[in-house]
Every structure is written in C-alpha cells, then in structure tokens.
Amino acid sequence: MLDALTHTLRTRPGRPAVLGTTRTGAVRVKATCGDLADLTDRYAAALHARGVGRDSTVGVAVRPGPRALAVLLAVHRLGARAAVLDPGAGPDVLRARLALARPGLVLADAAAQAVAGWARPLARRAHLALPDLAELGPVATVGPRLPGCVPALAGAARPALRAALEKPLARMGAARPDAVLFAEVPLSGRSRKPDRAATARLAARHLAVGGRR
C-alpha cells in the first residue's frame, strides 16, 4: 500500500496531501503530494547516507505532520523499521519496547528534544515525557534547529550522490544538452539542461534502491 502511495504522490503532485487548520478554523494545505514526495526523497537519501537499510531500526520523535509522514515513508522505502517515540507512553515503556530492536539512529524535532531535555519539568506537567534520546542511539534533528538541538539530518554525501548518478551521467556522454538521453530527468527552460531538482530526486531514488540490495 505504501509503495502505491509513493506512486500516487508523484503522479498527482499538485493535490493536497496533508491538511491543517488556521487559528480561525479554516482549512489550509500543509503539504501537497509533490512536497511530500520531495521531502521523502531527501530523507531517504540522507538516511541511506547514514547507513540505514534493511533490518535497521530508526527511532522517530517527530510531531505529526508532513515531516513525520515523509520520515516514515523514507524509512519504509529503505526496508527499515520505524519505532515511533510517543511522549505520552512514558520513558520506561519506550525503553522496554526499544530493548527488542535498539535504534541505529533517532530522528527528533526540536520539540521532542526539548521534552527530553531542558523542558522536561514543563512537559511532565502536561503528562509528556521522553527518555534521554542520546541513550537510545545517535540523534539527528529533523526540521528547524533551535539552540541546543543536535546537528541536523544531513543530505547524502557527495561520493554517494556521485555513485548514484554515475550510470545516468555516463549515458549522456558528449551529447549536446538538447540531445540528452537522460530520459528520467525533465529538461528545464530554454537552456534544455537537466533540471537540478529533478536530478536530486533521481539521485535519492537510486540511493534508496541501492539500499535494498
């Protein structure tokens, strides 16, 4: 089902994918299908670069929304397991669950890191609590970084991107830009050169496929 969802996101990029509401209650689009597909591609490439693959476990402490959904789709694409860290479950329950499959990486947004750190006393008043995330495994920030947050989940390293694009670029050879055989990447504008964003998405897909082998 998730594989079919990935296909749908690409075939209908302009359709709303995640909806929310404004303070007045009006419905607003938080992310389109294309936005979600692009975000998933970036996370998949970044996770692959961090060594996430089949049978890996990734802890996810990200508030519900486009980022959380994109992270879960990226983890699924790589054949890994996602362990959602619910702050309402309590630290002891989360530790017991993760004892069966310790995360190789924990992805957390700024809010989750605050709940597990400096804002712990305030969070407890709201019946929210997380264990020290660093005790669970290496931690990377997803979304905006605030003071005190760990480093962000970086994109794929240059060598990995180069390897992912090696064969497609080799097919281009010495062809003129308007004769590029790089069929998977649409050409942009009058320059007829490969679109940069589309090339990045293709690289992410190649990296994700490589992670399943």
Side-chain angles (χ1 to χ4, degrees), residues 3-31:
D3 291 334
L5 174 59
T6 300
H7 174 72
T8 301
L9 293 176
R10 282 294 175 210
T11 54
R12 300 181 178 182
R15 294 189 63 180
V18 181
L19 300 177
T21 57
T22 64
R23 293 182 178 179
T24 61
V27 176
R28 70 183 182 92
V29 177
K30 299 181 72 172

Side-chain angles (χ1 to χ4, degrees), residues 58-147:
V58 178
V60 181
V62 182
R63 286 171 295 177
R67 291 191 186 93
L69 182 53
V71 165
L72 295 176
L73 289 173
V75 171
H76 169 75
R77 181 183 298 179
L78 297 174
R81 293 180 294 266
V84 177
L85 307 180
D86 180 6
D92 293 337
V93 173
L94 294 177
R95 290 191 187 96
R97 290 175 180 173
L98 295 176
L100 301 175
R102 186 174 179 81
L105 179 66
V106 176
L107 302 180
D109 60 15
Q113 292 179 55
V115 169
W118 65 268
R120 185 173 296 167
L122 295 175
R124 284 176 177 168
R125 295 178 185 177
H127 306 289
L128 300 174
L130 287 171
D132 183 349
L133 298 178
E135 292 180 359
L136 306 178
V139 185
T141 297
V142 169
R145 288 182 67 227
L146 298 180

